[in-house]
């Protein structure tokens, strides 16, 4: 593994330490993202979602429809 890390670090033009630090940071980001979505899924109300998706009414989007955000999320 060390040889492969050294080879890839050289290709990337960074030190082995920088390559490893970046790889660890990327892995932590992936794990934190997975934990975030798992937590969101745990508090999801799937019955409410199903009711919402089955509701009647509404109209299809018009050709000139655009998405407008009224409030920026923090």
């Amino acid at each position: 593994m060390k040889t492969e890390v050294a080879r890839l670090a050289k290709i990337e033009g960074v030190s082995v330490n920088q390559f490893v630090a970046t790889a660890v940071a990327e892995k932590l980001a992936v794990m934190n993202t997975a934990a975030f979505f798992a937590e969101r899924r745990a508090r999801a109300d799937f019955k409410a979602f199903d009711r919402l998706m089955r509701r009647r009414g509404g109209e299809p989007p018009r050709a000139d429809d655009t998405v407008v955000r009224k409030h920026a999320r923090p």
Side-chain angles (χ1 to χ4, degrees), residues 31-56:
M31 293 176 76
N32 287 333
T33 300
F36 170 80
F37 283 112
E39 189 273 329
R40 291 292 300 260
R41 184 181 190 284
R43 33 184 197 110
D45 184 345
F46 290 106
K47 288 181 182 180
F49 174 78
D50 289 338
R51 284 192 309 272
L52 179 67
M53 296 305 290
R54 286 192 306 267
R55 73 177 184 221
R56 294 179 186 253

Side-chain angles (χ1 to χ4, degrees), residues 1-72:
M1 185 175 358
K2 182 180 177 183
T3 302
E4 184 65 6
V5 167
R7 184 183 76 77
L8 291 171
K10 185 175 182 178
I11 290 171
E12 292 290 316
V14 297
S15 69
V16 169
N17 285 343
Q18 182 62 45
F19 185 87
V20 171
T22 301
V24 170
E26 290 176 5
K27 178 67 175 185
L28 290 172
V30 167
M31 293 176 76
N32 287 333
T33 300
F36 170 80
F37 283 112
E39 189 273 329
R40 291 292 300 260
R41 184 181 190 284
R43 33 184 197 110
D45 184 345
F46 290 106
K47 288 181 182 180
F49 174 78
D50 289 338
R51 284 192 309 272
L52 179 67
M53 296 305 290
R54 286 192 306 267
R55 73 177 184 221
R56 294 179 186 253
E59 61 183 61
R62 296 183 304 260
D64 63 339
D65 276 350
T66 58
V67 175
V68 177
R69 292 182 184 245
K70 293 182 179 183
H71 303 284

